[in-house]
Amino acid sequence: MSPPPESPTSAPPGPVLVMGAGSVGCFVGGCLQAAGVPVDFVGRGHRLAALLASGLQLTDQDGRDQRIPPARLRLHGQVPAGLAPSLVLLCVKSGATADSARELQERLPAGTTVLSLQNGMQNAQLASQAAPGLNVMPGMVAFNVAHGPDGRFHRGTAGQLAARDTPALRLWQPHFERAGLPLVLHTELRNVQWGKLLLNLNNPVNALSGLPLRAQLQDAARRREFAGLVEEALDVMAHAGVRPARMTPLPWRLLVRVLRWPTPVFKVVARRMLRMDHLARSSMADDLAHGRPTEIDELCGEVVRLAGTVDRPAPLNSAMVTRIHSVTQPS
């Protein structure tokens, strides 16, 4: 892991392009723009129309409240011709990864650095395969962003950005720091990604509950459901030789036990885990609410795929994939 960056003393290396103006893309890109980085946003028509009407409001659990008016936003329905960003943040949903990467390759200079800030384990590889002329790096977002009314994007949980350590990203570390988004660089990111995936196994539980994250984690039955998914995934990972990084104060096996404790005890032991506000919810909850495809195949489905490589069962994660598909697919 790289040392923390020093305070920035110069201008950013260049402009940033956010490919996918969703919750994560708007929050991360908006924070960078508020810190003085030129940012272009590429998104779908309905999101661009909302941003043109309301601008961006960036809030978090630590008191951030910044606004970027519509007139200061550079919004595009596709990657503009002639753009030469120093850094691309790939923030589209997993199903759009390959098409988005091909569009980037068609319109950007060869060798442009692309940082994948997406869920799951395969997106950076998929983007590299679709756009071999780009320099695609895996990354990870360890916090939750919820999209509220009037252009509000709210970080409701703690966490940092992480990415594979490269010279290009080291140049950007001070500017992410100034934006209030520390970027931690790792020589080996894979185990960090597996750790984030374990946390994200709560996403479908939260989405099906209809509750905010904090309320859902205080529901004993839903905590046990989350614990079962994580325990099964840990068993599969152990047989596959995967050692997921710790993402909470508690080791993974102890966290599974704590999730199953009675709620009054859990609330005391896991008080740091519950340090989130009432607006926090999973991105999958938003997807279900709006009838959009989810990333269940990149979360529980990834556990099922790994289980297949080591000839292990993963019935709980497999059943969750089926449940989510049954909700999202038309009857």
Side-chain angles (χ1 to χ4, degrees):
M1 189 168 64
S2 66
E6 299 177 357
S7 299
T9 58
S10 60
V16 165
L17 171 65
V18 173
M19 188 67 172
S23 295
V24 167
C26 282
F27 185 81
V28 176
C31 290
L32 288 169
Q33 180 168 338
V37 177
V39 179
D40 289 271
F41 296 86
V42 175
R44 296 179 178 176
H46 70 279
R47 176 57 55 82
L48 300 182
L51 292 172
L52 280 172
S54 303
L56 267 177
Q57 182 183 9
L58 309 165
T59 61
D60 67 21
Q61 62 177 169
D62 299 320
R64 179 199 295 263
D65 192 348
Q66 296 171 304
R67 294 176 182 270
I68 303 175
R72 289 185 53 211
L73 294 173
R74 304 196 315 214
L75 306 174
H76 315 278
Q78 59 183 2
V79 178
L83 200 66
S86 171
L87 178 66
V88 176
L89 303 179
L90 184 58
C91 302
V92 298
K93 292 291 187 180
S94 297
T97 296
D99 286 344
S100 296
R102 282 189 283 266
E103 181 179 346
L104 290 168
Q105 180 166 266
E106 288 172 0
R107 293 176 175 265
L108 299 183
T112 298
T113 297
V114 177
L115 177 59
S116 167
L117 295 180
Q118 301 166 277
N119 283 330
M121 302 296 299
Q122 309 297 332
N123 280 302
Q125 180 179 349
L126 288 173
S128 292
Q129 291 170 347
L134 301 177
N135 181 27
V136 182
M137 294 290 106
M140 187 200 72
V141 181
F143 50 79
N144 169 275
V145 178
H147 179 207
D150 300 324
R152 184 181 182 190
F153 294 88
H154 179 79
R155 177 180 66 80
T157 62
Q160 298 176 319
L161 301 176
R164 181 181 296 163
D165 189 5
T166 67
L169 292 179
R170 284 180 215 160
L171 293 175
W172 276 101
Q173 271 188 298
H175 305 284
F176 277 93
E177 184 80 17
R178 183 167 59 183
L181 299 169
L183 176 62
V184 182
L185 300 180
H186 299 262
T187 303
E188 174 50 61
L189 190 69
R190 197 73 175 165
N191 288 339
V192 178
Q193 291 177 289
W194 279 116
K196 175 67 188 311
L197 186 143
L198 285 173
L199 278 185
N200 280 345
L201 294 181
N202 189 53
N203 286 11
V205 179
N206 177 253
L208 292 171
S209 76
L211 297 170
L213 278 168
R214 184 180 175 87
Q216 178 244 307
L217 286 169
Q218 294 182 75
D219 182 294
R222 293 184 170 97
R223 279 201 318 278
R224 288 194 295 270
E225 190 172 14
F226 175 32
L229 294 171
V230 173
E231 184 175 48
E232 182 176 87
L234 286 170
D235 291 341
V236 169
M237 290 179 189
H239 281 85
V242 173
R243 301 181 64 182
R246 186 193 298 189
M247 305 296 289
T248 73
L250 301 176
W252 285 113
R253 294 288 182 179
L254 179 55
L255 177 63
V256 168
R257 291 171 56 193
V258 169
L259 287 169
R260 289 171 169 151
W261 287 353
T263 298
V265 181
F266 171 78
K267 288 169 69 174
V268 172
V269 175
R271 59 187 178 276
R272 288 178 63 183
M273 186 177 181
L274 291 171
R275 200 173 293 165
M276 60 183 72
D277 57 45
H278 68 284
L279 292 174
R281 61 183 182 272
S282 72
S283 59
M284 194 175 294
D286 287 340
D287 291 337
L288 287 189
H290 292 92
R292 297 189 296 251
T294 74
E295 295 183 310
I296 190 64
D297 291 327
E298 285 71 40
L299 300 178
C300 295
E302 190 66 47
V303 176
V304 175
R305 281 191 291 274
L306 184 64
T309 67
V310 292
D311 196 25
R312 299 291 299 178
L316 297 180
N317 281 274
S318 180
M320 184 59 79
V321 172
T322 301
R323 288 173 64 188
I324 295 294
H325 281 315
S326 71
V327 174
T328 57
Q329 292 175 352
S331 57

